[in-house]
């Protein structure tokens, strides 16, 4: 995220670069940078890869010892279809997953308080807690007919620690580690269940067949804990005053893994994003980003899918909704 702040030259000799949130193909925030946000902000994010919509409020705490805020609270709400947009309504139910996240960020963990483009080292961190509600529909063929369709809500919890180092105002290194309890629901086989009813005409021998359908998953369902690991490098677009009306290109490359009892799945991806600076707030957002991700890089699932079929391409966009 970026925001321009102009100071008298005696206070600061240069500007600071920062970058808005960016998401991977899985909808995971890979860059979460609140630097240089001097006012409270509400951001929106759309991700076509995981078909999600997110709202994020960033609250800048007043800094009594310096000019810029150094501590932030964040509140995030995210919604997405549980089985894709085409299956948003299934079996008479509205199938939407939602997650709620609260976070705290602080600048200058090991670095000094000097923040400018000539500084060789500047760091910040954030810690977040997320509570997720995910609707699951499972087909259990071994149960009795009345109990074969099992509808329930999975309640997931996660905690993540995000540490970032900024070099020379434009090279951002990000590392994320945490704890997450999840399920393998998304990896199960998609099936369509149809129920048929036979209606007899009271005035003839004709019969009519009426059907209803439910989209569900089929397979060995499991819930387990993982330790997510994320590493990313981001080239941050600069924010010189004379270029504030220009579109600029930045990029992120990232590696993601989940360690646990299940086989570790590795994803490798990149995001090329185009940034635009808001004329009123000064925040530079990635108005459009192209996400390319190699899913299950080493094919540990032995899915029989070649590299091309495990490749996902999507779009992501962040937009400023409100300054308050």
């Amino acid at each position: 995220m970026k925001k321009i702040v102009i100071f008298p030259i005696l206070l600061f000799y240069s500007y600071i670069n920062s970058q808005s949130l960016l998401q991977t193909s899985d909808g995971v925030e890979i860059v979460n940078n609140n630097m240089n946000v001097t006012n409270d902000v509400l951001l929106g994010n759309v991700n076509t890869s995981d078909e999600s919509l997110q709202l994020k409020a960033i609250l800048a705490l007043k800094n009594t010892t310096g000019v810029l805020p150094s501590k932030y609270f964040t509140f995030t709400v995210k919604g997405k279809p549980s089985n894709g947009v085409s299956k948003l309504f299934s079996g008479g139910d509205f199938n939407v997953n939602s997650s709620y996240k609260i976070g705290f960020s602080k600048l200058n963990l090991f670095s000094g308080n000097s923040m400018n483009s000539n500084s060789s080292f500047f760091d910040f961190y954030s810690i977040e807690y997320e509570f997720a509600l995910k609707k699951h529909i499972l087909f259990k063929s071994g149960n009795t007919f009345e109990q074969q369709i099992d509808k329930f809500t999975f309640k997931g919890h996660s905690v993540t620690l995000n540490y970032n180092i900024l070099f020379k105002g434009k090279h951002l290194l990000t590392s994320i580690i945490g704890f997450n309890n999840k399920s393998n629901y998304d990896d199960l086989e998609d099936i369509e269940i149809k129920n048929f009813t036979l209606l007899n005409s009271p005035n003839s021998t004709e019969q009519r067949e009426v059907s209803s359908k439910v989209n569900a998953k089929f397979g060995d369902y499991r819930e387990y804990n993982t330790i997510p690991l994320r590493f990313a490098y981001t080239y941050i677009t600069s924010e010189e005053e004379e270029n504030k009306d220009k579109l600029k290109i930045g990029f992120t490359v990232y590696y993601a893994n989940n360690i646990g009892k299940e086989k570790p799945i590795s994803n490798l991806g990149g995001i090329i994003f185009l940034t635009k600076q808001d004329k009123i707030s000064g925040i530079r957002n990635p108005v459009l980003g192209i996400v390319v991700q190699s899913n299950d890089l080493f094919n540990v699932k032995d899915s029989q899918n070649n590299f091309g079929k495990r490749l996902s391409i999507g779009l992501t966009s962040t937009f400023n909704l409100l300054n308050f």
Side-chain angles (χ1 to χ4, degrees), residues 2-257:
K2 298 191 169 190
K3 187 158 187 173
I4 289 181
V5 182
I6 301 176
F7 298 99
I9 196 169
L10 292 178
L11 290 177
F12 286 91
Y13 186 68
S14 58
Y15 55 84
I16 308 164
N17 290 324
S18 54
Q19 183 62 62
S20 302
L21 64 90
L22 290 170
Q23 293 187 5
T24 70
S25 181
D26 303 320
V28 177
E29 286 186 14
I30 202 70
V31 177
N32 181 6
N33 185 350
N34 304 326
M35 283 195 312
N36 220 5
V37 180
T38 57
N39 297 315
D40 300 332
V41 178
L42 178 64
L43 298 177
N45 182 277
V46 174
N47 190 328
T48 64
S49 295
D50 73 335
E51 301 175 330
S52 66
L53 175 63
Q54 175 176 292
L55 297 177
K56 182 169 188 173
I58 302 176
L59 308 179
L61 302 183
K62 185 176 181 180
N63 190 348
T64 58
T65 60
V67 179
L68 293 176
S70 62
K71 299 178 181 178
Y72 302 89
F73 278 111
T74 57
F75 301 91
T76 306
V77 178
K78 185 174 185 177
K80 58 174 291 186
S82 58
N83 289 298
V85 172
S86 62
K87 304 171 185 176
L88 186 58
F89 295 91
S90 179
D93 295 328
F94 183 52
N95 298 308
V96 174
N97 293 339
S98 60
S99 63
Y100 310 89
K101 187 186 301 182
I102 182 171
F104 173 77
S105 301
K106 186 181 184 306
L107 310 183
N108 306 114
L109 181 62
F110 300 111
S111 58
N113 293 324
S114 176
M115 296 185 296
N116 58 68
S117 60
N118 297 318
S119 298
S120 58
F121 170 75
F122 178 75
D123 70 343
F124 55 98
Y125 74 93
S126 62
I127 185 169
E128 294 181 313
Y129 168 76
E130 180 178 15
F131 175 64
L133 297 173
K134 299 182 179 181
K135 290 190 175 182
H136 291 348
I137 305 177
L138 292 175
F139 178 68
K140 299 180 178 180
S141 58
N143 291 357
T144 60
F145 184 83
E146 294 79 10
Q147 297 178 335
Q148 286 181 340
I149 300 177
D150 185 12
K151 298 181 180 180
F152 63 97
T153 300
F154 171 72
K155 300 177 182 179
H157 304 265
S158 67
V159 178
T160 55
L161 176 64
N162 184 321
Y163 177 68
N164 305 266
I165 300 177
L166 181 67
F167 294 99
K168 298 296 183 181
K170 58 183 179 181
H171 303 289
L172 180 65
L173 299 179
T174 300
S175 59
I176 302 173
I177 188 171
F179 172 84
N180 182 26
N181 69 306
K182 57 184 299 184
S183 74
N184 67 336
Y185 182 79
D186 293 335
D187 298 328
L188 300 180
E189 179 183 354
D190 290 300
I191 63 171
E192 185 179 83
I193 305 169
K194 292 184 178 180
N195 293 323
F196 296 92
T197 302
L198 199 62
L199 301 178
N200 297 313
S201 172
N203 301 320
S204 67
T205 59
E206 292 182 343
Q207 294 180 321
R208 177 170 296 159
E209 190 178 64
V210 179
S211 68
S212 62
K213 67 177 181 178
V214 176
N215 297 108
K217 294 279 189 176
F218 176 73
D220 181 19
Y221 174 79
R222 298 185 303 277
E223 297 177 3
Y224 50 91
N225 299 324
T226 65
I227 299 176
L229 296 176
R230 310 282 186 268
F231 301 98
Y233 165 77
T234 303
Y235 177 78
I236 296 178
T237 53
S238 60
E239 57 177 21
E240 296 92 344
E241 177 69 18
E242 61 270 20
N243 294 325
K244 66 179 182 178
D245 296 325
K246 296 181 180 180
L247 296 174
K248 292 200 169 188
I249 297 177
F251 67 89
T252 293
V253 291
Y254 61 86
Y255 169 79
N257 200 338

